[in-house]
Amino acid sequence: MEIDRDFLNSPPVKTVRFGGTVADTLAKHRQGDSGDYELLRHQLSDPEIKDAQIIKWLQEFRSCVTQLTKDHEQLIYPLLRLPWVGRSQAVVDEYMAFLSNLVSAQTVYLCACLKMVVSHFSPKRVIICEGGVDISDSDDDDENLPRNFDQCHQALQLIARYVPSTSRFLMPILQENFPFVQKSSRTLECYVHNLLRLSMYIPALRRDVLELVIGKMLKLDVSASRSDIEEAEENTVPGQRAEDGAEEGLFEMDEDMSAEAPPRPSVMAHPVADRLDSLMAVLLAYIKDVCHVNGSFHADRTKDLYRDVLSVFDKLILPTHASCHVQYTLFYLCSFRVALAEAFLEHVWKVLQSPSQPAVLRQAAAGYLGSFLARAKFVPVLTVRACLDLLLSWIHRYIDSQDSSGRAACCDISLHGPFYSACQAAFYTLIFRHRAMLEGNMKKGLEYLQGLNLERVVMSQLNPLKVCLPAVSSMFAAITRKYQVVFCYTIIERNNRHVLPVVRSSAGGDSVGTNTNPLDSFFPFDPYLLHRSSQLIEPLYQVWEELPDTEQPPPTTGQQCSKEDEDDFLSGETPKTEGIVGMTPSSYEWSLRSPSSLGSPPIAFQRH
């Protein structure tokens, strides 16, 4: 007789239970008999519980849900800890029905239900034994994660449908459960993906969700300096990095890969940069999905998202010094329509010219204005000209106000910081966009540049060339000399002779150095270093193109530069202000650790 092997190998369905029904147990508990009550509580916590038993209990609890007041927390909490996610569809459906009934009849359990669902937004914890030591880690390789996340969002949508005030209680829970930023890339990626997905069906939470996500990403961004990322990439063995990049991301983006470009490893060598890269890829994919419906651009949805992102920009991104990548979320969003780019330029322009804004924010706004105009390919020349007209008009009015004050104007950053930042933004924009402005009709282009009256700006007593980054000043001087718009070298030489070395160092001891970045400025849209998310940024980005020999700036008197310390517009690094305190001590300390943006190395000035 042949034995049925399937019957022998499969365990029987566990439906054995002790005690009476849930209704009888609750009745006995009210009369003071807690035996069955405690027995039920322990059975609910059984890790070997089977699907059939879960369904049976959930049905019984649903039938007496009106009796499950706050006094029965000891039963409800084990129910909320039941492993329902990833179970059979029958268990999932029954659990959804139970949650709907529970939050409808007993809103006192709303927060507990929300916490339970949100706890599944990240891969579950597993214990890994390494070297005889148990280590807790996330189960990143679970193939059922997308299906599990779908079930969690179905549960949240049900709860939100039955309890309209869900959004008010949900946001603190999302903040509380956000994984520590040092967790694995996959853990952070999953949680952020689920937060953004949640904002699609609870739109009232979108701005708060974006603020939470971008705030966490900024912490990663400022802790991974541009120099540290570049150093890690240079020091990584290609073979090792390829092995690390074998794991694919959970959420894919629609990317247009260039066939000619050599493939880059997907995993960053710098661990913090790798986590940030994963989150940037998720956030950019979310922005694209929100702004496009069935592949077509949706204007109204894009405008709403733009307002939310701009609000987060004002609150978090603009005040953050030396962030390298997070601000590209707005850069990417503005690329969808020229009107969005112009709206962003108008916004930062208003911040720059507003006397009611703190000087540090006005200077940051100038950096965003100049960097965006210089680097965004999608900004047309007409828009660049319009912005330069506004900038130069404001700069000339500022010079007029100083001339008419009756006092001798002097080069003082603490008094005129926004002015100098505006001048640097204008110079920086002209460096990058002068070719586009002169193409087609050289005569009209030159007439336009001469009409900006740059000579008055350069020759003013406020002396902006003395404060701007040396690389900006020298490159601006070379370009304007070639087209005979303004001659700057006499002023630059005079400034060099008047700069005195300062003997001071925050690192301890005495050293002679010169502050080559007195504005403590950085250009927010300097080259994008992250690998995976760069696929969406590179087609929109204006890289620095080396100038012809006729436009190269000549060596400046008093500068001692080695081969490796040449003007580095191409590498995109800001000079370290070694030995000199910038606008704020914190900014100075950061610039020592994290040089970013464009500039040239420190210049040593000698006494003659």
Side-chain angles (χ1 to χ4, degrees):
M1 178 178 178
E2 186 177 354
I3 300 176
D4 187 346
R5 293 292 178 187
D6 291 338
F7 174 78
L8 293 179
N9 294 333
S10 60
V13 177
K14 183 178 179 181
T15 57
V16 179
R17 59 183 290 177
F18 302 95
T21 64
V22 172
D24 293 340
T25 301
L26 293 177
K28 288 181 180 180
H29 182 69
R30 285 194 298 270
Q31 296 171 3
D33 183 0
S34 300
D36 287 354
Y37 192 89
E38 291 298 319
L39 186 59
L40 175 59
R41 188 166 65 88
H42 286 294
Q43 289 184 81
L44 288 172
S45 303
D46 181 10
E48 302 295 328
I49 192 170
K50 302 302 179 182
D51 288 7
Q53 190 62 70
I54 292 177
I55 293 173
K56 180 65 175 174
W57 267 327
L58 290 174
Q59 290 172 346
E60 292 186 16
F61 274 106
R62 287 176 59 196
S63 65
C64 54
V65 70
T66 55
Q67 303 177 44
L68 300 176
T69 60
K70 190 173 177 60
D71 297 332
H72 298 294
E73 287 179 343
Q74 294 182 359
L75 283 182
I76 296 301
Y77 290 155
L79 272 173
L80 295 180
R81 287 193 292 268
L82 283 175
W84 65 279
V85 175
R87 292 267 187 168
S88 65
Q89 191 59 43
V91 171
V92 172
D93 292 341
E94 194 61 44
Y95 201 88
M96 298 275 191
F98 165 72
L99 283 179
S100 303
N101 290 357
L102 182 63
V103 296
S104 300
Q106 306 290 345
T107 53
V108 67
Y109 295 114
L110 174 62
C111 287
C113 293
L114 294 175
K115 288 179 181 178
M116 178 274 297
V117 176
V118 172
S119 69
H120 293 289
F121 276 6
S122 299
K124 64 182 179 180
R125 309 299 297 175
V126 294
I127 302 299
I128 303 173
C129 184
E130 293 185 2
V133 179
D134 290 339
I135 302 174
S136 176
D137 198 2
S138 58
D139 187 12
D140 293 344
D141 297 327
D142 187 354
E143 297 179 354
N144 296 320
L145 279 179
R147 188 190 67 170
N148 296 349
F149 294 153
D150 287 343
Q151 294 169 356
C152 291
H153 288 288
Q154 291 172 15
L156 267 183
Q157 286 176 279
L158 275 176
I159 294 173
R161 183 186 307 167
Y162 287 103
V163 185
S165 61
T166 293
S167 59
R168 186 159 57 92
F169 297 96
L170 183 56
M171 200 61 221
I173 295 171
L174 298 177
Q175 294 170 340
E176 179 183 345
N177 283 269
F178 202 103
F180 184 53
V181 291
Q182 296 300 324
K183 294 291 186 182
S184 69
S185 295
R186 181 66 68 88
T187 297
L188 293 170
E189 179 186 13
C190 289
Y191 194 82
V192 167
H193 178 274
N194 284 311
L195 290 190
L196 295 173
R197 182 175 174 181
L198 175 153
S199 71
M200 300 288 282
Y201 55 84
I202 310 182
L205 285 181
R206 184 168 66 186
R207 184 170 297 187
D208 291 332
V209 165
L210 287 172
E211 185 177 326
L212 173 61
V213 169
I214 290 176
K216 297 293 184 180
M217 291 171 63
L218 279 172
K219 289 183 179 180
L220 290 171
D221 201 0
V222 298
S223 62
S225 69
R226 185 175 295 275
S227 60
D228 289 345
I229 295 174
E230 291 174 338
E231 182 180 356
E233 291 298 312
E234 291 172 359
N235 296 337
T236 301
V237 179
Q240 174 187 350
R241 188 162 42 184
E243 292 176 4
D244 294 339
E247 180 183 0
E248 293 294 332
L250 176 63
F251 308 103
E252 301 296 333
M253 294 189 303
D254 295 329
E255 299 159 351
D256 296 328
M257 297 292 294
S258 173
E260 299 178 359
R264 289 192 296 182
S266 62
V267 176
M268 301 287 296
H270 195 290
V272 177
D274 186 63
R275 288 190 282 271
L276 180 61
D277 193 12
S278 297
L279 299 189
M280 284 295 297
V282 172
L283 185 54
L284 294 180
Y286 166 79
I287 291 174
K288 183 177 181 180
D289 288 345
V290 171
C291 298
H292 296 81
V293 178
N294 297 325
S296 300
F297 178 76
H298 196 287
D300 292 336
R301 292 177 58 168
T302 303
K303 289 177 184 177
D304 292 340
L305 179 62
Y306 171 79
R307 295 188 189 100
D308 289 339
V309 175
L310 191 65
S311 172
V312 179
F313 171 83
D314 287 338
K315 188 173 182 179
L316 298 179
I317 300 177
L318 182 61
T320 301
H321 180 73
S323 60
C324 300
H325 300 97
V326 175
Q327 56 266 27
Y328 274 91
T329 54
L330 201 50
F331 185 94
Y332 179 65
L333 176 57
C334 290
S335 71
F336 294 151
R337 286 293 183 273
V338 173
L340 293 173
E342 292 177 345
F344 175 67
L345 290 168
E346 181 181 6
H347 180 77
V348 292
W349 163 245
K350 288 180 179 178
V351 176
L352 168 61
Q353 67 170 343
S354 173
S356 62
Q357 293 282 358
V360 66
L361 291 185
R362 297 175 67 188
Q363 291 176 227
Y368 274 93
L369 181 65
S371 192
F372 192 85
L373 288 172
R375 296 292 194 175
K377 278 185 177 180
F378 48 86
V379 175
V381 175
L382 286 177
T383 302
V384 175
R385 285 192 175 191
C387 290
L388 283 175
D389 289 339
L390 288 174
L391 261 178
L392 270 299
S393 177
W394 182 84
I395 289 170
H396 284 300
R397 290 199 304 271
Y398 194 95
I399 295 173
D400 290 339
S401 67
Q402 296 300 311
D403 292 343
S404 62
S405 65
R407 299 188 301 270
C410 61
C411 184
D412 190 334
I413 296 174
S414 62
L415 291 178
H416 311 296
F419 168 79
Y420 291 122
S421 295
C423 291
Q424 182 164 260
F427 299 161
Y428 187 75
T429 302
L430 285 168
I431 290 170
F432 273 85
R433 303 303 294 264
H434 73 279
R435 288 180 180 174
M437 296 165 68
L438 296 174
E439 282 177 354
N441 194 323
M442 177 71 74
K443 182 179 179 180
K444 287 188 176 180
L446 289 176
E447 288 176 355
Y448 171 77
L449 291 180
Q450 291 167 353
L452 295 176
N453 198 4
L454 294 168
E455 183 175 5
R456 182 181 182 230
V457 178
V458 169
M459 300 291 183
S460 71
Q461 291 181 329
L462 293 173
N463 195 1
L465 289 179
K466 186 176 182 179
V467 176
C468 292
L469 288 170
V472 174
S473 297
S474 60
M475 199 64 66
F476 174 75
I479 292 170
T480 53
R481 182 188 64 169
K482 175 187 177 182
Y483 297 105
Q484 299 183 7
V485 176
V486 58
F487 298 94
C488 306
Y489 287 112
T490 302
I491 298 172
I492 292 176
E493 294 290 340
R494 184 183 65 199
N495 290 338
N496 290 342
R497 290 193 297 270
H498 290 169
V499 173
L500 297 177
V502 178
V503 182
R504 185 169 58 185
S505 174
S506 66
D510 294 335
S511 63
V512 178
T514 304
N515 187 3
T516 57
N517 186 13
L519 279 175
D520 201 20
S521 55
F522 82 107
F523 295 98
F525 300 111
D526 266 353
Y528 194 88
L529 302 180
L530 306 180
H531 291 172
R532 292 186 289 272
S533 50
S534 66
Q535 312 293 335
L536 295 177
I537 301 299
E538 287 178 353
L540 314 171
Y541 190 75
Q542 176 64 55
V543 299
W544 169 248
E545 298 175 355
E546 190 172 358
L547 297 175
D549 293 338
T550 56
E551 295 185 26
Q552 290 292 344
T556 307
T557 305
Q559 296 185 11
Q560 296 177 347
C561 297
S562 65
K563 177 68 176 177
E564 60 194 8
D565 287 340
E566 292 177 355
D567 195 344
D568 51 5
F569 260 75
L570 289 174
S571 63
E573 294 181 356
T574 293
K576 297 181 181 180
T577 54
E578 295 182 359
I580 307 298
V581 177
M583 293 183 61
T584 62
S586 61
S587 298
Y588 166 64
E589 294 296 336
W590 175 251
S591 68
L592 281 181
R593 297 193 306 272
S594 162
S596 64
S597 159
L598 160 152
S600 61
I603 304 170
F605 292 91
Q606 295 181 332
R607 296 181 180 179
H608 297 282

